[in-house]
Amino acid sequence: MSLKFGILGLMAEEPLHGYEIKSRFESLMGGAWEVNIGQIYATLQRLERDGLIATAGERGDRGKLAYQLTEQGAREFTAWLSQPEAGQSLLHEDFSVKLLLLRRLAHADLAALLHRQRRMQLQHLRDLAAMDRQARDAGRADLALIIKGAILHTEADIKWLDLCLDEVADQQSPAP
């Protein structure tokens, strides 16, 4: 999810200022996505420039300026909600580039990278399981469902890494 549409979605509920957006967005994501307040304000500027949001009234307490969704912003947000997302592609990830480059380098230790990546994914799986328990304990079935999807993706990544490790081992063993 892009931050842009997260902000538009939060503003679909009511006008908000930057720090409210930061707090609500991080709460929405269950703490899994922390966002820098500078990112929020930069995104607000782009959204206002593009006519998707506008200021809502005068500056409030401590000079805070609230923004609200425009009709154009509401239309764009609604259109985004209805569109399916293209799946992520391993071809566009840094790890895939590393893997392909290491295969080309004579003295590179591809197996070591694959083992490190697998350990990292296993830790990620443990972290996701803890997040899942926290979400369920907090009554956030919506967030738990998203986390379950991340768990399944991580499990698939681990299976893929195992396949890569098997392939590397087969290539390194002498032919019969």
Side-chain angles (χ1 to χ4, degrees):
M1 175 175 94
S2 75
L3 182 58
K4 168 187 172 180
F5 287 105
I7 290 172
L8 292 177
L10 291 171
M11 283 186 191
E13 297 173 331
E14 65 180 311
L16 299 168
H17 62 74
Y19 281 97
E20 288 173 322
I21 292 167
K22 175 182 172 31
S23 174
R24 290 184 189 192
F25 183 82
E26 289 175 352
S27 177
L28 174 73
M29 299 306 295
W33 185 348
E34 290 186 28
V35 63
N36 180 298
I37 193 65
Q39 285 180 285
I40 297 285
Y41 283 111
T43 305
L44 288 172
Q45 288 175 345
R46 284 191 301 277
L47 292 171
E48 186 176 25
R49 178 200 66 209
D50 295 344
L52 303 177
I53 64 171
T55 57
E58 300 297 318
R59 290 191 181 275
D61 68 343
R62 292 183 266 156
K64 295 176 183 171
L65 185 60
Y67 294 89
Q68 62 189 3
L69 209 53
T70 63
E71 286 183 33
Q72 180 184 349
R75 282 192 305 274
E76 192 165 322
F77 175 67
T78 301
W80 175 78
L81 281 177
S82 67
Q83 296 300 314
E85 291 295 317
Q88 289 182 310
S89 171
L90 283 176
L91 298 175
H92 292 275
E93 291 184 6
D94 286 348
F95 181 75
S96 297
V97 174
K98 288 178 186 181
L99 188 138
L100 292 169
L101 289 172
L102 278 172
R103 300 268 321 199
R104 296 171 65 111
L105 301 174
H107 301 291
D109 191 350
L110 181 58
L113 174 66
L114 291 167
H115 283 293
R116 284 190 301 271
Q117 187 71 22
R118 189 176 190 284
R119 281 192 302 276
M120 191 217 48
Q121 291 290 55
L122 287 170
Q123 181 59 53
H124 184 57
L125 194 58
R126 287 188 288 275
D127 295 344
L128 286 169
M131 289 174 65
D132 183 50
R133 284 189 300 278
Q134 290 171 348
R136 290 184 188 286
D137 290 348
R140 292 283 314 268
D142 57 341
L143 182 58
L145 191 59
I146 301 303
I147 294 168
K148 183 60 76 179
I151 288 171
L152 292 171
H153 280 277
T154 304
E155 288 172 344
D157 287 344
I158 291 168
K159 288 179 183 178
W160 175 70
L161 288 165
D162 288 341
L163 188 121
C164 290
L165 283 163
D166 289 346
E167 178 76 19
V168 168
D170 286 349
Q171 290 177 0
Q172 291 176 348
S173 21

